[in-house]
Amino acid sequence: MKVLITGGAGFIGSALAITLEKRGDEVTVLDNLAPQIHGVKPEESALFQRLPPSVNFVRGDVRDHEAWEKALAGQEVIVHLAAETGTGQSMYEIDRYVDVNTRGTSLLLDMLAKKEAGSESVRRIIVASSRAIYGEGKYKGREGFVYPDARTLQDLQNGVFECRDPNNGDIASPVPTDETSRIHPNSIYGITKQVQEQLVLTSAATLGVGAVALRYQNVYGPGQSLKNPYTGILSIFSTLLLQGKEVNIFEDGKESRDFVFIDDVVAATVAAVDSDKTNEAYNVGTGEATDVLTVANLLKSSYGSGGEIRVSGNFRIGDIRHNIADLSKIKNDMSFAPKVSFDEGVKAFSEWVKTQKINDSGYERSVSELRAKGLLK
């Protein structure tokens, strides 16, 4: 097939490009090589350099009509990964996140609707959504399942980090969040991913194009940018540890995420490309939660040295407490099941990190920005 991957020089996109190229697909990548991900010399970044030579690379922004014109002609499948990512940064770079994530997507769909740039051949779109659209996700309360709102500033300041049952104020217990759960993002990033997903699924249905939204959980693995301080706590923690710097664990360290290895994410995305399912959204994760303190300790053990780990009680406005994906739907519809355990994945990731040149990721600067904006307490 002819497949266009937007954001294809990024972490997930480049890994997907490698896999599709190996199986014989004709891959085009549209990417702006943003310095936040690729550094000041993006053409020399490891992510860009690992794209197969056969890939047709188009450097351009998804908000640029001309860039789409160069990339769209003759494509059969579009995997739309291009987006600004990072919950914390989205809360003060609001216009940029909305502009890139929403307008970049609407421009693509507008061109498809108008059959511009030879886009008549497009028959399928896979859009990268996010677990962030669920907000705090699904919980078990006293009288059944509930969907807590964002945690209150008062609770967070008092060290009460768990979510409350909105019906009675009791502490609720997290359970795996399925695709029918309430959609109520509590970050600008989450809102933009919700809009991206809805734009694609709604428009594709009227255009007669098959479309699937993949709600990725916390993706990690070899190849992840070690330069971007706004996403990927495994990268952030690794950089700090190997520089001998202190790792500041927010809240009480018991906040958890569903960490899914890059190989499993690529496998799920390929399954979505090949599937005949349409107008559907699917979680992509492991179905298992790992707390942040465990992540930090595993990485420190893997490196055998590094900075100290400190649980500070600090918290970020917009962060969620827990994250566990229910994978029943994607297992049933696409026969997808993750293969890499977190222990295996961390080992592979840390071994890869040891081969990389470790530079300042700008983490301290990002923390200062959050604090200055009143988003880090």
Side-chain angles (χ1 to χ4, degrees):
M1 292 181 290
K2 292 186 177 181
V3 183
L4 168 62
I5 308 173
T6 72
F11 173 41
I12 299 173
S14 58
L16 177 63
I18 292 168
T19 297
L20 293 177
E21 188 270 343
K22 282 182 178 178
R23 74 174 197 170
D25 292 320
E26 185 177 325
V27 179
T28 297
V29 163
L30 172 61
D31 199 295
N32 67 351
L33 298 182
Q36 183 167 298
I37 298 168
H38 296 279
V40 294
K41 296 181 179 180
E43 295 88 351
E44 298 178 8
S45 76
L47 285 172
F48 177 70
Q49 290 290 328
R50 75 174 183 170
L51 286 174
S54 63
V55 165
N56 173 34
F57 180 75
V58 177
R59 184 168 184 176
D61 195 294
V62 290
R63 295 166 292 179
D64 181 0
H65 192 281
E66 185 177 344
W68 281 114
E69 286 182 332
K70 293 178 181 178
L72 265 177
Q75 303 299 335
E76 297 172 84
V77 178
I78 300 172
V79 182
H80 187 36
L81 303 175
E84 294 290 349
T85 59
T87 300
Q89 189 183 41
S90 77
M91 302 300 285
Y92 60 89
E93 293 282 353
I94 298 170
D95 185 59
R96 179 161 66 92
Y97 272 70
V98 172
D99 193 35
V100 173
N101 296 2
T102 302
R103 193 166 72 84
T105 303
S106 67
L107 179 55
L108 162 64
L109 297 170
D110 192 65
M111 293 180 72
L112 293 179
K114 295 174 180 175
K115 295 181 169 44
E116 295 182 11
S119 62
E120 298 91 338
S121 54
V122 174
R123 59 176 178 79
R124 192 160 183 79
I125 304 174
I126 311 301
V127 61
S129 186
S130 168
R131 70 83 36 222
I133 71 173
Y134 295 122
E136 290 290 354
K138 190 174 184 179
Y139 279 69
K140 185 73 164 58
R142 187 192 305 171
E143 299 177 358
F145 295 122
V146 295
Y147 301 95
D149 294 322
R151 296 170 291 169
T152 66
L153 182 59
Q154 181 179 3
D155 268 352
L156 293 169
Q157 288 175 331
N158 290 333
V160 180
F161 298 120
E162 297 295 338
C163 292
R164 293 186 183 275
D165 184 330
N167 297 319
N168 51 45
D170 292 347
I171 298 298
S173 301
V175 297
T177 301
D178 58 61
E179 292 85 351
T180 64
S181 297
R182 179 185 171 195
I183 303 298
H184 62 142
N186 54 9
S187 68
I188 300 300
Y189 170 68
I191 292 169
T192 65
K193 299 310 285 185
Q194 177 190 0
V195 173
Q196 270 192 313
E197 175 179 317
Q198 291 178 329
L199 282 169
V200 169
L201 295 183
T202 301
S203 296
T206 65
L207 295 171
V209 174
V212 163
L214 297 179
R215 296 171 180 172
Y216 295 136
Q217 310 299 302
N218 289 65
V219 186
Y220 74 99
Q224 191 163 23
S225 175
L226 300 176
K227 297 181 175 70
N228 188 352
Y230 300 99
T231 58
I233 65 169
L234 277 87
S235 294
I236 293 169
F237 288 175
S238 294
T239 300
L240 292 172
L241 286 167
L242 292 174
Q243 289 180 319
K245 296 180 179 179
E246 179 182 87
V247 176
N248 178 5
I249 304 294
F250 294 166
E251 301 184 17
D252 58 0
K254 296 300 180 183
E255 61 274 26
S256 65
R257 300 291 184 266
D258 185 334
F259 294 99
V260 56
F261 195 67
I262 182 61
D263 292 3
D264 287 328
V265 170
V266 169
T269 307
V270 171
V273 167
D274 293 342
S275 172
D276 60 0
K277 298 294 181 182
T278 188
N279 203 32
E280 297 283 356
Y282 296 93
N283 291 331
V284 177
T286 64
E288 298 181 3
T290 305
D291 68 64
V292 172
L293 186 56
T294 295
V295 173
N297 285 325
L298 277 173
L299 287 171
K300 186 175 175 66
S301 176
S302 294
Y303 299 132
S305 62
E308 294 303 311
I309 296 171
R310 180 174 69 92
V311 178
S312 67
N314 293 142
F315 57 88
R316 285 193 317 186
I317 304 299
D319 272 356
I320 56 117
R321 178 61 175 174
H322 297 296
N323 172 22
I324 316 167
D326 185 319
L327 301 182
S328 302
K329 185 178 179 181
I330 195 168
K331 287 180 178 178
N332 181 67
D333 285 6
M334 297 186 191
S335 300
F336 167 78
K339 296 181 179 179
V340 182
S341 71
F342 187 65
D343 285 348
E344 293 170 330
V346 167
K347 181 178 180 182
F349 172 75
S350 59
E351 289 300 317
W352 169 78
V353 170
K354 292 174 188 177
T355 69
Q356 304 301 299
K357 182 179 179 180
I358 303 300
N359 297 311
D360 184 8
S361 69
Y363 175 71
E364 288 87 352
R365 183 186 71 253
S366 71
V367 168
S368 296
E369 289 177 359
L370 288 170
R371 203 179 293 277
K373 302 294 183 181
L375 299 169
L376 177 62
K377 306 290 186 181

